[in-house]
Structure formats: structure tokens, C-alpha cells
Amino acid sequence: MSIDFLTGLRAEARAYADLLRPAALDRDREPGRARDPVLPWRRFAGLPAEYNPDPLRVQGRTALLQSCVEQVVVYEELARADATAVLALPGPSMSGSVIGDLADETQRRRYWEVVAGEGAWTFFGMTEPTAGSEPAGMHTALHPDGDGFRLAGTKRYIGNGARARIGVVFARRHAGPLGVVAVLVGTDKPGFTAVPLPTTGLRGLELSELRLDDVPIDAGDLLGRGRSATRQGMWAATRTFHRYRPVVSCLALGVAQAAYDLVAAARPAVRSRLDDWRQRLAGTRALVLAAARSADHDPSDGTLASAAKLRATRLAEDLTTDAVRLLGPGACWEYPLLDKLVRDARGFEFMEGTGNIQRLTLARGHLQGRLSDVRAA
């Protein structure tokens, strides 16, 4: 993918970002307003060509945003206006990655007809109240029941869960990490309920709790049927995390850039600080792009994705905190957008693994020879 094309893609996204900024604070005050997307969502959701009659076009080429490289370029620009609006877009999000890896043709058609046909939100049901995303502690279980199964458990901190129509739930069929499977679940199933959780940052994402009370599951809803145990649930989940950590990184980068923009306009005299920030933004942007290229090439290697997520999350927290100091007492009242940026920046730490998880992945990548320069972290 050429630099000229990516430059054109970034410019196109920046024009759409202008539509998001005016209502950013309204979406923060009233998260339900994110249900009414301002953007032509099909151009930004990453739909397959056969389900997308209105794709983004740049320099005469179609950009479906199914590659990680395209996503990080576009979503950073949109997040510079409002990261929440990006996360609250209808579309496949993380569950689409699992569908791509595990679904058969019937499952794929069912999923995409709901998502693309109705403009539906989806969910990725991994995290649990007491175990987070650690498979060893997963309590949600899939029990045999006649010709099908019953799904029971609780998932928490699930983005867009309360407004989703369909999604993927990870559940345990047997002991051990290879006993985790992925299940395609419609939210109209009996026993399925979802409630929004109160949050401080990234409020439009509508983090939710999913309650699964013996939800009936057909055998045809199991994703990855017929595959070996090593190519089912956790295999697909890990590849999804590796693909989406660069995306989370670019969203954090967009928030950091927004803090820079705000201070550059309000305090242009702090040149040395702004020069330092500009260099850190440029370095992190290069790392995020490298991580996205790596994820597109080999989603089984998450080393650079972890480095990018760690670096971008730290940058967003540093710049928003410094912005408050530079703008002085009462800055968050004088600049309501800065107050939102400070809260949003802290939300990225908990998305797709905390900093300690990323450090473990980096250490493993270094020991396995995948990362020669430990300064990336």
C-alpha cells in the first residue's frame, strides 16, 4: 500500500472528522446519542465488498478498511475529533475478525446479513467479572443439551453489548485453554440480557454486562466446528487481539493529537514542550503503522502490536495530563473538550489487555527473537 494512497486516505478521513467534533461533548453527556451515527457508517465499518454498496473511495480506488493499515490511518483521524464516535459505530468490530477466522459459509452469511443489512452493532464477549480475559479463569460454560447446548455465565465490560444484535461469546466446553470455544449468539435468544454499565471515559462505547441464563445454542452456532482444538476459540481470540491492539493504539494516538492541537492553539508560546510532543507523536505514529503492517502480514505475532499499544496509551495519558498542567487551574472547566480527553485517555489502558499484559508479550517476543530492540517498550 503506497504512501501516496495512505496520505490520501488520511486526508479523506480528516474531512469526515470535521462532522464528528461539533457533537463530541453532546455524545459524552448523553451516550445514547452515539446510537445515531453522524458518519456514513458503511464507509468506515470494514464490511466485505459483497456487503458494502457504499465504500470509501480514495484516488479512484476502493478502501474497504478491512486491513489494519487502512484502519489505523482512518481511525486516528476520526479519533482526533472523537474517539467515542469511532468505537460506537455499527459494524463488525472485533467479532468480525473471529468470523473471518472460524465461520463456515452459512455462519458467515447469517452474520453479515444481520450486520450489513440492518446496520447492527455487534459484541465480542470475552471479559468476565472475576477473571478478565484470562482463559484459565473463564467461568462461562457451554453444556450439552440434547442435540444442542446451553450457554451460561456473565461477561462484563463488553463494548456496544446492550445495543448489539449479534456477536461472539467465548465459553468453556472442557478444562484447559483448548477447551474454550467461540459461539455465534443472537441477542434475541431467550435467556440473553444485556445492561449498560456506568463509565467515566469513552462513554459512548456503552460498555455493558451480558447475562447468559441457559441460552439455547444450536450445534450450527459453534464457530470452528471440525477444526482441531488448537485452531478454535483461544486461537481466534489471540489473533483478534493482535489485530485490534494497533487499532486501540491509533485511537489513543488520536486523543493525544487532540490534546496537542488544543494546547498548540491556546499556548503557542510553550514551543519546547510542543516540539517534544510533536516528536513523540511522530514516533508513536510510525510504531503504530509498523504494528498494523505486522498484524496484516501475520496476526499470530503480536509483538509489535503490544509495543504500539503500550507506547500509544502512555502517550495519551502523558499529553492529556501535561495539557491540564500547561493550561493551568480550572483548565478542565475552561476547556470542556480537555476534560473529555483526560477521561477518554485512561480508558485505553484497559482495552485489549493492560500495560502489564503488553509487557509480558513484549518480553516473550524478545526472548523468541521477534523483537531485537527492547526500547520499543
Side-chain angles (χ1 to χ4, degrees):
M1 202 170 295
S2 71
I3 295 298
D4 283 348
F5 176 76
L6 293 180
T7 301
L9 189 61
R10 184 177 293 277
E12 187 76 9
R14 190 167 297 176
Y16 281 101
D18 292 340
L19 302 174
L20 295 177
R21 177 57 66 80
L25 294 177
D26 292 335
R27 281 188 290 272
D28 185 57
R29 280 189 293 267
E30 302 177 54
R33 295 187 63 163
R35 295 171 184 263
D36 304 317
V38 177
L39 297 174
W41 68 272
R42 286 184 173 83
R43 297 182 184 177
F44 297 96
L47 301 176
E50 62 269 34
Y51 291 98
N52 191 349
D54 184 27
L56 196 64
R57 294 191 64 81
V58 177
Q59 299 174 355
R61 291 174 52 186
T62 298
L64 291 169
L65 303 197
Q66 289 198 294
S67 78
C68 199
V69 168
E70 289 179 337
Q71 289 172 353
V72 300
V73 169
V74 169
Y75 293 162
E76 182 204 335
E77 289 300 323
L78 299 182
R80 190 172 175 174
D82 184 8
T84 289
V86 180
L87 291 164
L89 278 173
S93 190
M94 296 176 73
S95 65
S97 171
V98 180
I99 294 298
D101 279 339
L102 295 182
D104 60 29
E105 187 53 39
T106 301
Q107 294 166 336
R108 185 174 293 109
R109 190 182 314 116
R110 173 188 164 199
Y111 175 85
W112 286 116
E113 285 179 354
V114 172
V115 174
E118 304 174 16
W121 284 271
T122 63
F123 64 84
F124 181 83
M126 169 63 79
T127 311
E128 299 197 350
T130 59
S133 300
E134 171 57 47
M138 183 177 292
H139 292 290
T140 300
L142 190 68
H143 301 290
D145 182 40
D147 294 334
F149 301 90
R150 294 276 175 176
L151 183 64
T154 302
K155 300 290 184 180
R156 188 176 291 173
Y157 311 121
I158 309 302
N160 296 314
R163 55 186 168 219
R165 289 287 314 281
I166 195 168
V168 173
V169 171
F170 292 86
R172 179 172 298 287
R173 286 187 70 184
H174 310 289
L178 299 184
V180 174
V181 296
V183 185
L184 184 61
V185 181
T187 59
D188 57 352
K189 291 267 190 178
F192 184 105
T193 56
V195 293
L197 300 170
T199 54
T200 301
L202 300 172
R203 300 184 67 214
L205 177 58
E206 203 166 74
L207 286 179
S208 306
E209 179 172 283
L210 311 184
R211 298 163 186 168
L212 309 162
D213 184 13
D214 281 336
V215 176
I217 300 294
D218 297 332
D221 294 335
L222 263 64
L223 296 166
R225 291 177 302 162
R227 290 170 172 262
S228 69
T230 58
R231 291 290 187 274
Q232 292 195 15
M234 287 313 300
W235 175 79
T238 301
R239 288 163 63 89
T240 299
F241 286 137
H242 293 171
R243 287 182 178 124
Y244 275 83
R245 280 171 183 152
V247 174
V248 174
S249 305
C250 84
L251 299 177
L253 185 58
V255 168
Q257 182 68 55
Y260 171 91
D261 295 343
L262 197 155
V263 173
R267 296 287 191 275
V270 292
R271 290 183 181 174
S272 62
R273 184 65 63 86
L274 290 173
D275 286 345
D276 175 61
W277 285 10
R278 194 159 43 241
Q279 292 177 18
R280 291 184 63 186
L281 285 163
T284 304
R285 185 170 294 113
L287 179 58
V288 170
L289 185 59
R293 291 188 191 282
S294 175
D296 284 338
H297 173 69
D298 179 11
S300 67
D301 180 4
T303 311
L304 279 181
S306 286
K309 207 265 181 177
L310 192 60
R311 182 70 64 87
T313 301
R314 185 186 300 163
L315 181 66
E317 293 192 14
D318 286 353
L319 264 60
T320 52
T321 301
D322 277 359
V324 173
R325 294 194 187 102
L326 287 170
L327 295 176
C332 286
W333 282 268
E334 187 176 357
Y335 302 95
L337 179 63
L338 178 59
D339 178 60
K340 177 181 184 302
L341 295 174
V342 169
R343 289 183 281 108
D344 285 352
R346 275 120 193 100
F348 298 116
E349 165 67 9
F350 303 99
M351 298 175 71
E352 326 311 343
T354 63
N356 285 340
I357 296 296
Q358 312 311 325
R359 291 184 183 91
L360 286 172
T361 303
L362 279 169
R364 192 178 302 118
H366 178 61
L367 292 172
Q368 295 174 347
R370 293 174 172 172
L371 182 70
S372 58
D373 187 352
V374 294
R375 291 175 299 174

